[in-house]
Amino acid sequence: MAVFLGIDVGTQSVKLVAYDADRRGIVKTCHYALNLISRDDGSREQLACWWLTAIRSCFDELDRNIKSRVKAIGVSGQQHGFVPMDQNGQVLAPVKLWCDTSTVDECNEITQAIGGTEELISIAGNPILPGYTASKVRWLKKHKPDAYAEMATILLPHDYINYYLTGELFMEYGDASGTGWLNIHTRQWSSEILVAMDNERDLKECLPSLVPPDEAKKISKSVAEEFGLSYDTIVSPGGGDNMMTAIGTGNVMEGCLTMSLGTSGTIFACSDKPAIDPKGDFAAFCSSTGGWLPLLCTMNCTVATETVRNLMNLELTQIESLLDNTRTGADGIVTLPFYNGERTPDLPHGKGCIMGLDLQNTTVENLFRSAMEGATYALRYGFEAFERADLSFNSICVTGGGAASTGWRQMIADVFQLPVTTLQQQEGGALGAALQSLWVYRTGQGHGERISDIVAEHLRVEDSLTYEPNPRASADYNEYYQTYLNHLDAISPIYAGGKNE
């Protein structure tokens, strides 16, 4: 009756799931809400100590019987965050998050120092975008030089939790590839990019060792005692939230596309070789299972729908009836939902735009549908980059908070013209982290299973929640999507140069 824990440190909350591998079910789920520090300059930050408080609270909710059966823990964490630590392991500054867009200047400086975007992609497979960790490190040097001078270690959010659990400093390839300075071909740090970030300091001295995805670490004695766990409990390498969601949605073999409808919108796939977009429209990441994870992220997914819902004082229970009372295309209203700025397309200074309003179509229902359609079109914009890279898919597995909407699931099937599936277990990154820890535990026991074996054994599609594309709606959406692109072309020059008035 072994239990495997998955901890997901997200933007809005920390989640813990306890997964019983013998019963193939989650026996406990715990949540702890997180605050977000936001400023007008695009800063989005959290304090690392908030995460530890949240994790302790979640462990307090686990009863003694569950704790006594825990064999392994896996950690999923929001990608790209920057945790600077001194030589004593103390965090030196608030953690700048994936959605922080205050480092546009630093991105440009690194890009220019390396010789341009094409050179960055040639060296490491990725451009340096505002959300990536590389620009945050340079930002700290410029804006908080005292903290930068004390910095001895650079960690990502999930690395910091691993450090807390084990007392060891390490990174794994998947999350590390989201820093911007990992060469995804060689899985080694790029000296050229590190020099472009700071040509006065050897940043390699601040980087922890890289470990493969199946390497186990022992939990520290102090943490085991604090949480009432066995000293033999192991901690798997874990990974970024997208890498863990890939495991938690069964995306460990080619042909499946995972779409996560959360604060951000992401689509990602499994590849047996590096998948790189010469234009840099999607990220060329490593996976946390030994392969590669081409991924595209939009910064405004449920942000778009929640903004309208809160503005109109709508209850979640009203959403499906609202969609039922509207038509595809929202009667001509087009929403470009760039409330947080945007990464795809690359408009970090972008703003939300609602266009096509008239006296007949301006209704609550149409405004909400248009927000949902805009978030979906933004993901299709990125999906076309996948197609340019010769990636092909037979289905889309949706996850995240937005996936609870039946209307949104059908919209995705129609817009992408692919069947949409959901899983019986809807815990995404937290479940993926638990399953990775199960894989690492069994590897240590000499079972020799592949991660795909684990996924096949423990994940099940919910057949009643499979949605097929409607040919007529798909044809309509092809037309409306072109209208979306026309509006995008029109507003892009306004925001591309940093003008956000």
Side-chain angles (χ1 to χ4, degrees):
M1 307 294 285
V3 169
F4 298 85
L5 302 183
I7 300 172
D8 181 30
V9 179
T11 312
Q12 298 177 323
S13 68
V14 167
K15 178 188 293 183
L16 182 150
V17 300
Y19 183 75
D20 187 320
D22 298 303
R23 295 180 178 176
R24 299 182 185 175
I26 293 172
V27 293
K28 182 69 175 180
T29 302
C30 312
H31 296 83
Y32 190 98
L34 294 172
N35 292 322
L36 182 67
I37 303 168
S38 301
R39 290 190 290 273
D40 291 341
D41 65 351
S43 294
R44 300 292 186 270
E45 299 172 344
Q46 288 176 335
L47 301 184
C49 62
W50 294 351
W51 304 336
L52 302 186
T53 297
I55 289 171
R56 291 185 178 112
S57 176
C58 289
F59 268 97
D60 286 344
E61 293 185 39
L62 294 181
D63 64 43
R64 195 171 297 175
N65 176 53
I66 291 176
K67 292 179 179 179
S68 68
R69 295 189 283 135
V70 172
K71 300 298 182 183
I73 304 171
V75 178
S76 164
Q78 49 184 302
Q79 285 192 260
H80 312 303
F82 170 40
V83 186
M85 296 201 316
D86 66 17
Q87 61 182 358
N88 298 315
Q90 298 300 307
V91 179
L92 294 165
V95 180
K96 296 186 83 63
L97 305 181
W98 64 273
C99 48
D100 188 295
T101 59
S102 66
T103 62
V104 175
D105 291 343
E106 288 73 22
C107 288
N108 294 334
E109 290 163 4
I110 296 170
T111 301
Q112 291 172 10
I114 208 72
T117 298
E118 290 184 2
E119 186 65 18
L120 275 170
I121 295 174
S122 174
I123 290 172
N126 287 296
I128 301 293
L129 300 177
Y132 286 20
T133 319
S135 61
K136 299 177 175 69
V137 176
R138 189 175 178 91
W139 183 96
L140 187 71
K141 179 186 179 182
K142 290 170 61 177
H143 296 273
K144 297 187 176 183
D146 291 342
Y148 188 79
E150 287 188 65
M151 184 180 70
T153 305
I154 295 171
L155 293 180
L156 303 169
H158 111 269
D159 302 325
Y160 177 72
I161 305 305
N162 279 343
Y163 171 68
Y164 167 70
L165 293 173
T166 67
E168 295 190 47
L169 298 170
F170 59 95
M171 280 189 186
E172 56 78 43
Y173 301 118
D175 210 6
S177 58
T179 61
W181 66 75
L182 184 82
N183 183 324
I184 69 151
H185 298 279
T186 64
R187 299 179 189 262
Q188 295 178 343
W189 304 126
S190 168
S191 298
E192 300 100 313
I193 298 177
L194 290 172
V195 169
M197 292 163 55
D198 187 346
N199 61 7
E200 299 175 337
R201 178 178 183 179
D202 185 2
L203 288 174
K204 275 190 177 180
E205 295 178 352
C206 299
L207 299 177
S209 60
L210 289 162
V211 301
D214 58 354
E215 182 172 316
K217 302 288 185 179
K218 290 287 291 290
I219 196 169
S220 73
K221 184 177 180 181
S222 61
V223 171
E225 291 174 349
E226 178 183 2
F227 291 151
L229 303 176
S230 166
Y231 293 153
D232 293 327
T233 303
I234 65 168
V235 177
S236 68
D241 51 359
N242 293 304
M243 288 76 190
M244 294 299 99
T245 299
I247 298 174
T249 56
N251 199 336
V252 295
M253 294 177 289
E254 293 185 331
C256 177
L257 182 75
T258 293
M259 181 179 294
S260 177
L261 305 175
T263 304
S264 65
T266 54
I267 54 174
F268 47 83
C270 177
S271 178
D272 292 334
K273 59 183 181 298
I276 296 174
D277 180 18
K279 295 183 178 181
D281 283 342
F282 68 78
F285 291 157
C286 299
S287 71
S288 295
T289 55
W292 285 266
L293 189 83
L295 177 147
L296 181 132
C297 177
T298 65
M299 300 183 74
N300 302 273
C301 190
T302 57
V303 168
T305 53
E306 286 298 285
T307 297
V308 174
R309 189 176 71 81
N310 292 331
L311 181 66
M312 302 297 181
N313 293 316
L314 301 173
E315 299 294 333
L316 285 172
T317 53
Q318 297 177 260
I319 299 307
E320 301 309 320
S321 62
L322 282 176
L323 294 174
D324 289 341
N325 290 326
T326 57
R327 296 178 292 186
T328 57
D331 286 337
I333 298 177
V334 178
T335 298
L336 304 178
F338 306 151
Y339 298 100
N340 275 326
E342 191 48 83
R343 181 184 299 175
T344 306
D346 185 16
L347 293 171
H349 296 292
K351 297 292 183 179
C353 303
I354 303 176
M355 294 167 286
L357 300 172
D358 61 35
L359 293 176
Q360 284 70 47
N361 65 11
T362 304
T363 65
V364 171
E365 293 87 350
N366 279 336
L367 286 169
F368 186 84
R369 171 176 277 277
S370 180
M372 185 176 285
E373 289 180 343
T376 306
Y377 294 152
L379 289 167
R380 175 167 167 176
Y381 179 90
F383 178 76
E384 291 176 350
F386 279 15
E387 292 181 316
R388 290 198 303 269
D390 294 326
L391 296 169
S392 60
F393 308 97
N394 49 45
S395 65
I396 300 174
C397 180
V398 295
T399 185
S405 167
T406 58
W408 206 343
R409 291 195 293 263
Q410 184 62 58
M411 182 184 296
I412 291 166
D414 295 337
V415 170
F416 287 80
Q417 300 176 52
L418 285 170
V420 168
T421 65
T422 55
L423 296 174
Q424 292 176 359
Q425 302 282 15
Q426 280 289 303
E427 295 297 345
L431 179 59
L435 292 180
Q436 189 208 50
S437 76
L438 169 60
W439 174 48
V440 172
Y441 174 78
R442 287 189 175 176
T443 298
Q445 298 291 307
H447 291 281
E449 292 171 295
R450 298 170 298 176
I451 188 65
S452 56
D453 298 327
I454 298 291
V455 164
E457 180 182 353
H458 292 275
L459 295 181
R460 295 288 182 271
V461 171
E462 182 58 70
D463 292 331
S464 63
L465 297 179
T466 296
Y467 293 77
E468 295 290 338
N470 180 307
R472 181 173 178 178
S474 293
D476 289 341
Y477 273 126
N478 280 335
E479 178 181 341
Y480 301 139
Y481 174 63
Q482 292 304 313
T483 302
Y484 167 88
L485 294 179
N486 292 338
H487 284 77
L488 177 61
D489 289 341
I491 66 96
S492 291
I494 299 174
Y495 299 118
K499 297 183 184 294
N500 56 11
E501 294 83 12

